[in-house]
C-alpha cells in the first residue's frame, strides 16, 4: 500500500502550525491592550472623581471666604498705606532728600475705663480687635512707608490717669482697684503694638542719623487735665515715655513739644482752695507744682532751642571732636559746650506740638477732610457743625484758653511755621491769622477705630530744609515752604465687618439652595436617585403572638386569621408611608393620619444644610483664627 501527499495539504499543515505558534502572543497582546484600556478608563474615572470632589459648592465658598478674609485682615491695610506713598504727593526739586515724619494721635488703648458697662466676653473682644487694628495699621505704615521719625501726640492710653500709684489714687472709686501693676501691663501692650513693629521700617533708612520714635507728649487721658493732674501719675508717665517738654531737631526743623495739659492748670482754680491758678496777692501760686515745669520750659525756650540746634549742626558737620569746655560759672540750664562758629540760635523753622488744640474763634471751619460733619460750603468763614466744639468737662477741655495759646506762641519763637495737635479724634486744619505769619494747625485724626470715627488715620509730613552746616542758614529760598503734609486714611473696620456679614448671608443662601437641590434632585450630585419608597425596612424581633379571642359580633370577618395561624396580606403589609420623626400614626383615612413625605424632605434639607455649613465653617474659622493670631 502506498500513500501520496499533495503540495496543498503540506502547505495547509505548515500554515496551521504557524497560527498555533502566533496565538499565545496574540492573546497576550490583546490582554495587554485590554488592561491598558481598562487602566486608562480607571484613570479617567479617578480624574473625574477628583475633579468632582474639588469643584464643589462648599469648596467654592471656602475659597471665597479665604480670599475675603485675607483682603479684610491684610490686603486692605496694605493698600490703604500704599496709596499714601511719599512719591504720590510730595513735590520737591529733583535730587532733594526730605526727612519723612508720621504724626500719630490718640491711639487710646481700650481698657476697663473705656466701656465700663460692657460685659465679658464683649469687653475682651473689643480690646482684642482694637489692639489688632492699631498694630496692623502701624505695621503697614512701617513696612510700606518706613518714616524716618514717628511722633505721638498724646492720649496713648484711655484710662492711664485713673490707675493708682504708690502715692495717688483715682478720684473715681470704681477705678481704685487698678494699681500701678495694671498700668505697667498697659505699657507692655503699647510696646507690643507700636515698639515691636518699629524695626520693620529699618529697610527704608536713608539718613545717617537713623530713625526716631518720640512718645513723650502726654494727653489728658494719660495724666488728666489742668488742676486734676496728680504729680505721681505724671512722674510715672515720664519715667517710661520720656520728657513731656522737649526740643528736638528733626529734618533741619526745630520740633517743640509742650505739655499743655499741665500748663492749663495756670488759669484753672485750685481744687482745694478754689482760687485762681494765676496766683494771689500774697504771692501764693495755687497748682504751681502742676504747671510750673512747663512754664519754666517756655521761659527758657531760647536756651533749649540753642542747645538742640547747636548739637544738630555739630552732628550735621560730622564734628565729633573739637569741643571747647569753658571754665566759668554759668546757669545750670545754659549750654556749657562751645563750638567754633556756632550760632546762639540757628533759626530753623519751628514746629509746635500740643495735645490740646490752640484757641480759635468759635465756629472756625476745619476744612473738607473732617469726617463727622463735612463743610456746608467751602467759602464759609463760620461753620459750627464743621468746627471743633468749644467745651470742657471732667478731665478735658476741647481747646486751650486764649491766654495760654498766646503765651505759647510768643515764647516758642518767631519762626513758627506749623502746629500739630490731637485730642479731637477727627481731622481739622485751619490757620491762626491772629499770630505773626499765620501758622497753620493740623489736628490729627485718631488711629483707633473705637474713638467715634469710621476711618482712622495719621498725618505724613515731608521736611526739606537744606542748610549751611557752618551757619545753619537755609540754602533753599525759592519754594518758601519747607514742609508738606498729607492725610492718610486707614480702612473702615466697621464696613469690613458689615461686608463679612453680607458674605455670611450669601453663604447661607447658597448652601440652603444646594441642600434643596440635593434633596429633591439627588442625581445632581452624580449619584442615582434615591427611591421615594424604602426598599427595605429594619424590623425589630417579632413579638410573641397573642392568643386569639373570639371576636364579638360587631367584628368584621376580615379580622379573623387565615387557616394555619397566618394573618392576611393586609395585616402584615408594610405601610405605604413609613413613619418619620414628627409623623402622627393612625389608620388611613382617620383624622390623625397625615402623609409624611413633606416632613421627611424638610428633615433631609435641614440635615444637608447643617452638614455643609459645618464643612465650610471649620475651614473658614481655622483660617480666620490663624490670621488673628498672626496679627
Amino acid at each position: 500500500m502506498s500513500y501520496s501527499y499533495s503540495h496543498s495539504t503540506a502547505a495547509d499543515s505548515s500554515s496551521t502550525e504557524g497560527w498555533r505558534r502566533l496565538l499565545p502572543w496574540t492573546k497576550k497582546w490583546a490582554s495587554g491592550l485590554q488592561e491598558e484600556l481598562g487602566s486608562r478608563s480607571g484613570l479617567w474615572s479617578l480624574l473625574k472623581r477628583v475633579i468632582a470632589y474639588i469643584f464643589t459648592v462648599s469648596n467654592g465658598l471656602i475659597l471665597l471666604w479665604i480670599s475675603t478674609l485675607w483682603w479684610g485682615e491684610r490686603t486692605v491695610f496694605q493698600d490703604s498705606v500704599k496709596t499714601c506713598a511719599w512719591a504720590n504727593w510730595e513735590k520737591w526739586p529733583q535730587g532733594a532728600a526730605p526727612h519723612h515724619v508720621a504724626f500719630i494721635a490718640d491711639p487710646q488703648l481700650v481698657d476697663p475705663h473705656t466701656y465700663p458697662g460692657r460685659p465679658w466676653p464683649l469687653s475682651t473682644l473689643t480690646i482684642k480687635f482694637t489692639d489688632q487694628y492699631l498694630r496692623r495699621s502701624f505695621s503697614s505704615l512701617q513696612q510700606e512707608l518706613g518714616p524716618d521719625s514717628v511722633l505721638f501726640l498724646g492720649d496713648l492710653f484711655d484710662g492711664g490717669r485713673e490707675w493708682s500709684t504708690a502715692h495717688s489714687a483715682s478720684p473715681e472709686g470704681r477705678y481704685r482697684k487698678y494699681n500701678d501693676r495694671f498700668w505697667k501691663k498697659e505699657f507692655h501692650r503699647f510696646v507690643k503694638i507700636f515698639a515691636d513693629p518699629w524695626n520693620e521700617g529699618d529697610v527704608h533708612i536713608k539718613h545717617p542719623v537713623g530713625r526716631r520714635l518720640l512718645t513723650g507728649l502726654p494727653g489728658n487721658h494719660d495724666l488728666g487735665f489742668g488742676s486734676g493732674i496728680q504729680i505721681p501719675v505724671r512722674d510715672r508717665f515720664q519715667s517710661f515715655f520720656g520728657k513731656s517738654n522737649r526740643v528736638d531737631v528733626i529734618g533741619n526743623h526745630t520740633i517743640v513739644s509742650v505739655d499743655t495739659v499741665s500748663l492749663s492748670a495756670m488759669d484753672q482754680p485750685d481744687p482745694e482752695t478754689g482760687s485762681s491758678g494765676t496766683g494771689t496777692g500774697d504771692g501764693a501760686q495755687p497748682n504751681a507744682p502742676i504747671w510750673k515745669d512747663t512754664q519754666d520750659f517756655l521761659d527758657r525756650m531760647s536756651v533749649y532751642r540753642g542747645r538742640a540746634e547747636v548739637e544738630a549742626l555739630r552732628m550735621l558737620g560730622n564734628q565729633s571732636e573739637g569741643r571747647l569746655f569753658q571754665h566759668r560759672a554759668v546757669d545750670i540750664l545754659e549750654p556749657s559746650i562751645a563750638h567754633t562758629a556756632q550760632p546762639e540760635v540757628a533759626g530753623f523753622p519751628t514746629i509746635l506740638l500740643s495735645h490740646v488744640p490752640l484757641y480759635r474763634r468759635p465756629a472756625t471751619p476745619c476744612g473738607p477732610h473732617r469726617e463727622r460733619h463735612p463743610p456746608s460750603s467751602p467759602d464759609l468763614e463760620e461753620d459750627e457743625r464743621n468746627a471743633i466744639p468749644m467745651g470742657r468737662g471732667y478731665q478735658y477741655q476741647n481747646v486751650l484758653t486764649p491766654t495760654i495759646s498766646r503765651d505759647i506762641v510768643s515764647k516758642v519763637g518767631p519762626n513758627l511755621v506749623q502746629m500739630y495737635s490731637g485730642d479731637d479724634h477727627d481731622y481739622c486744619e485751619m490757620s491762626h491769622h491772629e499770630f505773626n505769619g499765620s501758622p497753620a494747625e493740623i489736628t490729627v485724626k485718631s488711629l483707633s477705630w473705637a474713638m467715634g470715627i469710621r476711618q482712622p488715620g495719621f498725618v505724613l509730613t515731608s521736611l526739606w530744609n537744606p542748610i549751611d552746616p557752618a551757619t545753619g542758614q537755609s540754602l533753599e529760598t525759592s519754594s518758601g515752604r519747607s514742609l508738606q503734609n498729607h492725610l492718610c486714611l486707614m480702612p473702615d473696620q466697621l464696613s469690613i465687618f458689615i461686608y463679612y456679614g453680607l458674605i455670611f448671608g450669601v453663604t447661607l443662601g447658597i448652601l440652603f439652595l444646594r441642600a434643596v437641590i440635593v434633596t429633591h434632585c439627588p442625581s445632581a450630585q452624580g449619584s442615582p436617585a434615591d427611591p421615594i419608597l424604602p426598599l427595605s425596612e429594619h424590623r425589630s424581633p417579632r413579638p410573641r403572638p397573642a392568643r386569639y379571642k373570639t371576636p364579638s359580633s360587631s367584628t368584621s370577618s376580615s379580622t379573623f386569621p387565615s387557616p394555619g395561624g397566618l394573618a392576611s396580606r393586609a395585616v402584615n403589609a408594610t405601610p405605604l408611608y413609613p413613619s418619620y420623626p414628627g409623623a402622627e400614626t393612625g389608620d388611613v383615612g382617620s383624622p390623625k393620619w397625615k402623609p409624611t413625605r413633606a416632613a421627611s424632605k424638610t428633615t433631609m434639607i435641614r440635615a444637608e444644610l447643617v452638614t455643609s455649613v459645618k464643612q465650610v465653617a471649620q475651614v473658614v474659622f481655622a483660617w480666620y483664627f490663624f490670621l488673628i493670631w498672626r496679627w
Side-chain angles (χ1 to χ4, degrees):
M1 180 180 291
S2 62
Y3 297 92
S4 63
Y5 298 94
S6 63
H7 294 287
S8 59
T9 302
D12 292 342
S13 176
S14 176
S15 175
T16 302
E17 184 67 22
W19 280 109
R20 287 177 180 176
R21 294 178 180 178
L22 188 60
L23 184 60
W25 296 97
T26 305
K27 290 182 178 180
K28 185 176 181 180
W29 177 82
S31 176
L33 179 62
Q34 184 178 4
E35 290 179 1
E36 183 179 359
L37 291 176
S39 63
R40 289 184 180 181
S41 176
L43 289 176
W44 176 245
S45 177
L46 178 62
L47 181 61
K48 289 195 298 183
R49 290 186 179 183
V50 170
I51 293 176
Y53 180 79
I54 295 176
F55 294 96
T56 62
V57 174
S58 298
N59 289 346
L61 291 174
I62 289 174
L63 185 61
L64 172 64
W65 271 105
I66 288 176
S67 59
T68 298
L69 292 176
W70 181 261
W71 167 83
E73 305 299 320
R74 293 291 189 274
T75 306
V76 68
F77 287 86
Q78 298 170 357
D79 291 345
S80 297
V81 175
K82 286 180 180 179
T83 59
C84 304
W86 306 99
N88 293 346
W89 55 270
E90 61 178 358
K91 306 297 181 183
W92 298 118
Q94 188 175 5
H99 188 99
H100 294 151
V101 181
F103 290 98
I104 296 178
D106 302 86
Q108 287 189 222
L109 303 188
V110 173
D111 53 35
H113 161 271
T114 309
Y115 304 105
R118 186 165 293 186
W120 186 91
L122 189 58
S123 58
T124 302
L125 292 176
T126 302
I127 293 175
K128 172 66 178 178
F129 282 106
T130 52
D131 286 5
Q132 179 177 275
Y133 186 95
L134 289 170
R135 181 178 172 89
R136 285 178 180 169
S137 299
F138 192 76
S139 180
S140 300
L141 167 64
Q142 297 303 317
Q143 294 175 2
E144 303 296 335
L145 302 180
D148 302 305
S149 300
V150 175
L151 281 64
F152 285 80
L153 297 173
D155 274 359
L156 311 184
F157 303 141
D158 192 43
R161 67 193 179 201
E162 307 293 348
W163 315 141
S164 303
T165 68
H167 305 286
S168 66
S170 172
E172 294 277 343
R174 54 183 173 175
Y175 300 128
R176 291 176 182 172
K177 62 180 179 179
Y178 299 99
N179 53 20
D180 190 64
R181 185 177 181 181
F182 185 85
W183 188 94
K184 291 177 180 177
K185 289 182 179 179
E186 297 297 285
F187 172 77
H188 286 295
R189 277 180 63 198
F190 183 89
V191 170
K192 185 178 180 180
I193 295 172
F194 295 107
D196 288 354
W198 170 248
N199 294 333
E200 296 175 4
D202 289 348
V203 295
H204 301 277
I205 292 179
K206 298 179 180 178
H207 298 278
V209 295
R211 309 173 68 226
R212 305 186 69 177
L213 179 70
L214 302 181
T215 60
L217 187 68
N220 59 302
H221 281 266
D222 300 317
L223 308 183
F225 187 84
S227 59
I229 293 177
Q230 302 182 70
I231 302 301
V233 173
R234 186 174 67 184
D235 292 342
R236 177 180 59 189
F237 181 88
Q238 294 184 5
S239 65
F240 281 83
F241 289 105
K243 295 180 179 180
S244 300
N245 300 297
R246 56 185 298 150
V247 177
D248 300 276
V249 176
I250 298 176
N252 296 337
H253 287 70
T254 301
I255 313 292
V256 180
S257 302
V258 180
D259 179 8
T260 51
V261 294
S262 297
L263 186 63
S264 296
M266 285 189 66
D267 55 4
Q268 285 188 342
D270 187 278
E272 297 181 359
T273 65
S275 59
S276 173
T278 56
T280 60
D282 57 0
Q285 295 179 325
N287 297 329
I290 299 176
W291 56 261
K292 194 174 187 306
D293 288 346
T294 305
Q295 185 62 40
D296 291 342
F297 170 76
L298 291 174
D299 292 339
R300 299 176 182 272
M301 179 58 61
S302 60
V303 176
Y304 288 105
R305 285 194 58 177
R307 177 183 299 173
E309 293 175 358
V310 166
E311 184 68 15
L313 289 175
R314 185 188 65 80
M315 295 183 63
L316 203 62
N318 197 24
Q319 299 175 357
S320 57
E321 302 293 339
R323 292 185 174 183
L324 300 179
F325 294 88
Q326 301 176 359
H327 299 277
R328 61 185 179 88
V330 296
D331 186 271
I332 191 172
L333 296 176
E334 182 181 343
S336 59
I337 298 176
H339 175 267
T340 56
Q342 66 175 4
E344 292 184 0
V345 175
F348 290 158
T350 304
I351 297 174
L352 173 64
L353 306 185
S354 167
H355 174 70
V356 183
L358 271 68
Y359 179 81
R360 72 284 311 276
R361 291 182 296 104
T364 300
C366 285
H369 297 298
R370 191 164 178 82
E371 177 183 317
R372 295 185 187 130
H373 301 289
S376 305
S377 174
D379 300 327
L380 290 179
E381 294 185 0
E382 293 187 359
D383 190 345
E384 187 172 354
R385 288 174 55 85
N386 184 248
I388 294 179
M390 302 292 167
R392 65 174 63 186
Y394 171 72
Q395 298 282 34
Y396 82 91
Q397 185 172 296
N398 289 342
V399 297
L400 300 175
T401 61
T403 302
I404 291 181
S405 299
R406 287 193 299 267
D407 186 56
I408 293 175
V409 173
S410 63
K411 292 178 179 178
V412 164
N415 298 325
L416 183 61
V417 296
Q418 182 73 54
M419 293 177 281
Y420 297 94
S421 58
D423 186 67
D424 187 64
H425 299 171
D426 204 351
Y427 186 84
C428 182
E429 185 173 2
M430 51 87 62
S431 296
H432 289 274
H433 299 293
E434 67 273 21
F435 302 132
N436 185 27
S438 299
E441 179 180 355
I442 292 178
T443 301
V444 182
K445 265 194 166 189
S446 172
L447 190 64
S448 173
W449 70 284
M451 295 297 114
I453 53 174
R454 293 286 295 269
Q455 276 196 287
F458 52 88
V459 168
L460 298 175
T461 301
S462 180
L463 305 175
W464 186 61
N465 180 36
I467 61 172
D468 181 0
T471 63
Q473 298 300 314
S474 177
L475 301 178
E476 178 62 32
T477 57
S478 59
S479 63
R481 186 74 171 163
S482 61
L483 61 83
Q484 299 174 13
N485 297 301
H486 180 76
L487 171 62
C488 188
L489 296 176
M490 297 306 295
D492 182 353
Q493 183 65 61
L494 186 58
S495 294
I496 294 175
F497 286 154
I498 292 174
Y499 184 72
Y500 288 169
L502 293 176
I503 297 297
F504 177 74
V506 171
T507 300
L508 287 183
I510 293 176
L511 291 179
F512 176 77
L513 183 62
R514 173 190 174 277
V516 172
I517 294 175
V518 169
T519 303
H520 288 82
C521 304
S523 60
Q525 291 294 100
S527 60
D530 294 331
I532 296 178
L533 299 179
L535 299 180
S536 62
E537 180 183 8
H538 175 73
R539 298 178 179 270
S540 58
R542 169 176 281 182
R544 178 180 298 179
R547 295 180 180 269
Y548 292 100
K549 298 181 180 180
T550 304
S552 61
S553 58
S554 61
T555 305
S556 173
S557 61
S558 61
T559 61
F560 285 99
S562 59
L566 298 177
S568 65
R569 180 183 300 271
V571 174
N572 284 341
T574 302
L576 179 62
Y577 295 96
S579 61
Y580 291 93
E584 298 184 16
T585 60
D587 295 334
V588 176
S590 66
K592 292 185 177 180
W593 181 88
K594 294 180 181 179
T596 58
R597 183 177 301 177
S600 174
K601 292 296 182 182
T602 302
T603 304
M604 295 171 64
I605 291 173
R606 185 185 302 112
E608 185 66 31
L609 178 61
V610 171
T611 301
S612 58
V613 167
K614 288 182 179 179
Q615 181 182 358
V616 174
Q618 62 185 1
V619 178
V620 170
F621 278 107
W623 175 244
Y624 184 59
F625 289 142
F626 170 78
L627 293 177
I628 293 177
W629 174 66
R630 296 291 298 174
W631 291 96

